[in-house]
Every structure is written in structure tokens, then in C-alpha cells.
Amino acid sequence: MTKEQTTADGFSYTLERTLEAPVAAVWNAWTTPEPYAQWAYAAPGSVEMDVRPGGKWKATVVTPDGGEFPLTGSYAEVEVNRRLVTGMDVPGKDEPALMTVELAEEGAHGTRLTVAQTCDTADQRDTAEQGTTMLLDSLTAFLKSAN
């Protein structure tokens, strides 16, 4: 069962889901290139991750119509199996757009996943929230197929 809660405040949003997978499996899916590429709409072989504070990441996202968008960023905070703060480089901005992912055990074999992000405008927030919701749907399906 997937529970979802959405909270929007100003130009921020928070999505919370309960996933039917252990914390370590969710962490692995989010921080390992091959599984990440499978659920995050990334081109095979395009994902690189140096998961440590100050480490860099990159991926090429493939849209449903076949468009490719290279993304880059860095990791601001890394607490294995608990918290991941990633920054995505935004053209024309000095500071990356930060996204916080928090994991907590839920029941015997589940994970409560909380994703939060603050954007510069309401439109950016709405677009980012929609994209993150799609990613979480894909992650949920990926974790179910991995069990």
C-alpha cells in the first residue's frame, strides 16, 4: 500500500510516501547509478554518482518523446540510509536547487520517504512537484518489481 501526503507552503513542497521496501533498498535505488537509471528516466550508462558531501552527480534524463536533457549537480549532505540533500545545477543561477530526501523505517519492512524542495516561483514549485511525483511513482513501481 502506498500512502501519499502533499504539503505546499509558499514556493516549497513536501511529498511523503510509505513504500513497501526496506530503507536500505530505497537508499540503494536512490544512490546507485544502475538502479537509479532504471526508475529515474535516465539514459542507460548516463548516471554517475559520487555520493558524499561535495561529491558530484550527473544523469541524462530521457523524456517520453525521446528528448534528452543532461543534468548535473552535487551532494550537500549524506547520512547513509537516513538523509540525502542533493543540489541540481540550474543554468543562470549561482546556487544549485536543493532537494532533501529523508528515509525512516515504517513498520517491519517499509520505508517512509519524505522529499522536500523550495523553488523560486510558484510555477517552478508546481513543475518540480509534478516531476517529483512522477519519479516517486516510478520508484514505487521499481521497488515492487525488485521484491
Side-chain angles (χ1 to χ4, degrees):
M1 178 183 108
T2 299
K3 287 192 307 187
E4 184 168 348
Q5 177 181 334
T6 302
T7 308
D9 179 24
F11 302 136
S12 300
Y13 70 91
T14 300
L15 300 175
E16 186 175 288
R17 273 196 196 189
T18 300
L19 303 170
E20 295 180 26
V23 166
V26 177
W27 178 265
N28 184 64
W30 207 284
T31 60
T32 307
E34 189 172 305
Y36 182 86
Q38 291 179 42
W39 66 266
Y41 306 102
S46 73
V47 179
E48 295 179 20
M49 298 175 156
D50 181 7
V51 185
R52 62 183 173 83
K56 303 286 186 197
W57 65 266
K58 69 180 185 176
T60 299
V61 173
V62 181
T63 62
D65 62 3
E68 293 192 2
F69 295 92
L71 303 175
T72 59
S74 58
Y75 297 98
E77 293 179 40
V78 178
E79 290 180 55
V80 175
N81 292 337
R82 295 194 56 214
R83 181 176 167 90
L84 186 67
V85 179
T86 59
M88 184 168 64
D89 297 329
V90 179
K93 283 190 66 175
D94 293 338
E95 295 296 318
L98 295 179
M99 174 184 280
T100 301
V101 177
E102 294 182 321
L103 307 175
E105 288 183 12
E106 184 78 22
H109 304 289
T111 300
R112 186 175 65 252
L113 171 72
T114 306
V115 179
Q117 187 173 13
T118 299
C119 302
D120 292 334
T121 67
D123 284 346
Q124 288 175 357
R125 178 204 60 217
D126 294 347
T127 300
E129 184 176 352
Q130 182 179 24
T132 302
T133 299
M134 286 175 49
L135 282 175
L136 295 182
D137 289 346
S138 185
L139 174 61
T140 300
F142 172 79
L143 291 169
K144 282 184 181 173
S145 69
N147 283 342

